[in-house]
Amino acid sequence: MPVNSDIFAPPEPPAEALPNLIGMRRADMTAALAEMGEPRFRADQLFQWVYNRGVTDFDAMTNMAKPLRAALAERFKIERPSVARGLDSVDGTHKWLIKLADGNEVETVHIPEEDRGTLCVSSQVGCTLSCKFCHTGTQRLVRNLGPAEIVGQIMLARDHLGEWPTADQRSIYERQLSNIVMMGMGEPLYNYDNVAAALQIVMDGEGIAISRRRITLSTAGVVPMMRRCGAELGVGLAVSLHAVRDELRDEIVPLNRKYPLAELLAACRDYPGSRNSRRITFEYVMLKDVNDSEADARELVRLIAGIPSKVNLIPFNPWPGAPFERSTDAAIERFAEIVRSAGYPSPVRTPRGEDIMAACGQLKSASQRASKGALARSAAE
Ligand code: SAH
């Protein structure tokens, strides 16, 4: 699947459009300001205003002289993607339907918890993987998101949560957005370059400043990119396992035909986190009578032997027309007990935001129209 080819690239902005500062890495800003004859510390200030303080107006950049602010405003814009709609769940989960500049849509979900708040971020419009139990998987891949669109999801969540620090209260704000999971729509490792650029911005301590320890990237198992992800980003890794035999995994996670279980688990063993006592999270969707037997649980324990890991059991979240049912609570508990007695934490993920179709696997945007466009382009090549 040519997911890294140009047909899935984010659209180039029109030639007359000003470049967006959002999505620029610190080095990009330094280079852009150097072209204007400005020293590096100015780029550092600009980086802080944009990413740490969240300003959208150059006039708010009070440590810069007015002529410089005006010069910046002539050359750049500071633009987030726009929110088409926000939905609140009874459990406090919030979902934003985000409209991108080309009309495509993605979803971002905020999940507040007692001691933290997690933002579930999308990496693609649609997805190529077609996992059988996933609603996003019934949608074609329309395109990859660019860095501005990925970082933009986090920035607009901060806007809505009112979480930008003010000048005099830099470190005392309560964090409702403390953690990020790259678990929204799409396969982040099939859009690695854009996701990596975005996460480097997010992890920069002078900006959004969410550390790699609070970021988890979830993959269905794009084995060759897992190594790069570990070496270059060092974020936490979650692996969507869902089946412990190739025969079944080939069916429900078709990517397994390309990267079968043995290769996937070898890549997990090599992931740097597993040497630093940072556990790998295995995600396992509980599908009634499909993958939830005690024999499956025992085989799972055998497969992950020696990998510092945790096994997140996700009760299947239904969607219209889905060909599966959620396992019974008793089956989930029996499965969890086998994994736990082998020494692995095995939390059962409480579904969040089900009433607004924001739970795992329920995200799907209404971008089919645009998807036809991408296919037409791909056919024309
Ligand atoms: N493509 C990446 C990122 C998506 S993460 C990946 O596959 O890991 C979304 C998680 O929710 C994945 O573990 C996915 O397998 C799981 N999921 C998908 N559909 C689901 C459903 N209907 N119920 C519960 N979990 C689901």
Side-chain angles (χ1 to χ4, degrees):
M1 193 57 70
V3 280
N4 285 322
S5 77
D6 286 350
I7 61 162
F8 294 117
E12 286 291 328
E16 70 280 6
L18 297 177
N20 194 356
L21 288 177
I22 293 179
M24 278 193 196
R25 280 180 273 201
R26 187 194 282 272
D28 306 328
M29 279 193 199
T30 307
L33 263 67
E35 264 181 42
M36 295 169 65
E38 292 295 330
R40 160 174 277 225
F41 81 92
R42 288 285 176 215
D44 292 341
Q45 287 176 332
L46 184 62
F47 188 89
Q48 280 189 5
W49 282 117
V50 172
Y51 291 122
N52 186 262
R53 304 282 293 281
V55 306
T56 50
D57 181 356
F58 290 95
D59 273 332
M61 302 181 180
T62 46
N63 57 1
M64 298 197 190
K66 276 198 176 144
L68 175 59
R69 289 185 232 160
L72 287 170
E74 266 171 35
R75 287 174 176 77
F76 301 104
K77 62 180 179 181
I78 307 173
E79 192 176 275
R80 287 112 159 94
S82 61
V83 174
R85 202 148 62 104
L87 287 171
D88 280 308
S89 161
V90 289
D91 68 18
T93 302
H94 187 83
K95 178 166 92 169
W96 291 279
L97 179 65
I98 291 172
K99 191 145 204 139
L100 307 170
D102 63 358
N104 277 311
E105 289 166 349
V106 289
E107 295 178 327
T108 308
V109 180
H110 179 245
I111 306 139
E113 287 172 88
E114 232 156 64
D115 56 341
R116 62 167 127 183
T118 302
L119 194 73
C120 180
V121 173
S122 292
S123 58
Q124 299 181 311
V125 183
C127 191
T128 47
L129 297 180
S130 307
C131 299
K132 292 291 178 297
F133 45 81
C134 179
H135 202 198
T136 311
T138 64
Q139 190 184 348
R140 286 180 193 288
L141 177 68
V142 178
R143 67 168 175 84
N144 288 326
L145 298 188
E149 294 167 328
I150 299 169
V151 178
Q153 294 174 59
I154 297 154
M155 298 184 75
L156 65 83
R158 278 218 167 144
D159 292 344
H160 284 260
L161 296 166
E163 279 212 327
W164 296 107
T166 56
D168 45 348
Q169 299 178 318
R170 289 181 68 98
S171 57
I172 56 167
Y173 60 104
E174 292 257 298
R175 290 259 179 144
Q176 295 184 71
L177 201 176
S178 57
N179 292 58
I180 290 176
V181 292
M182 294 300 305
M183 290 189 189
M185 295 163 65
E187 168 50 54
L189 294 189
Y190 267 155
N191 183 19
Y192 180 77
D193 290 342
N194 290 315
V195 167
L199 290 182
Q200 272 152 4
I201 292 168
V202 170
M203 293 190 290
D204 190 306
E206 297 291 303
I208 295 171
I210 295 181
S211 90
R212 66 188 59 204
R213 306 220 153 259
R214 291 179 173 273
I215 300 177
T216 302
L217 182 146
S218 182
T219 180
V222 186
V223 164
M225 302 312 291
M226 287 166 63
R227 186 180 296 273
R228 269 186 79 187
C229 176
E232 295 173 6
L233 302 175
V235 297
L237 186 70
V239 174
S240 293
L241 193 63
H242 305 319
V244 291
R245 280 173 257 273
D246 281 317
E247 207 187 3
L248 177 62
R249 200 164 186 272
D250 280 350
E251 269 310 300
I252 64 176
V253 183
L255 183 66
N256 194 68
R257 297 176 204 159
K258 200 161 180 183
Y259 306 114
L261 281 167
E263 283 179 36
L264 175 59
L265 288 155
C268 291
R269 273 174 224 284
D270 286 349
Y271 196 78
S274 64
R275 289 195 294 277
N276 302 336
S277 78
R278 196 168 174 198
R279 292 171 196 273
I280 289 190
T281 303
F282 288 101
E283 295 159 282
Y284 197 94
V285 63
M286 296 299 289
L287 305 170
K288 187 176 183 189
D289 299 334
V290 173
N291 65 354
D292 62 352
S293 71
E294 294 182 27
D296 288 321
R298 283 191 292 270
E299 178 61 11
L300 190 153
V301 165
R302 201 187 64 78
L303 281 181
I304 66 175
I307 305 175
S309 41
K310 138 176 151 188
V311 179
N312 238 330
L313 300 181
I314 319 177
F316 171 67
N317 294 308
W319 38 272
F324 298 104
E325 283 175 68
R326 179 179 291 180
S327 302
T328 62
D329 289 350
I332 297 176
E333 250 334 288
R334 273 199 303 274
F335 196 105
E337 217 19 71
I338 293 171
V339 179
R340 283 175 201 146
S341 33
Y344 302 96
S346 186
V348 179
R349 194 180 286 173
T350 317
R352 298 289 304 263
E354 272 190 293
D355 52 336
I356 54 167
M357 288 290 282
C360 301
Q362 293 185 316
L363 305 183
K364 177 170 178 170
S365 64
S367 301
Q368 304 294 331
R369 221 175 350 99
S371 127
K372 292 207 190 91
L375 285 176
R377 264 184 287 145
S378 98
E381 294 218 336

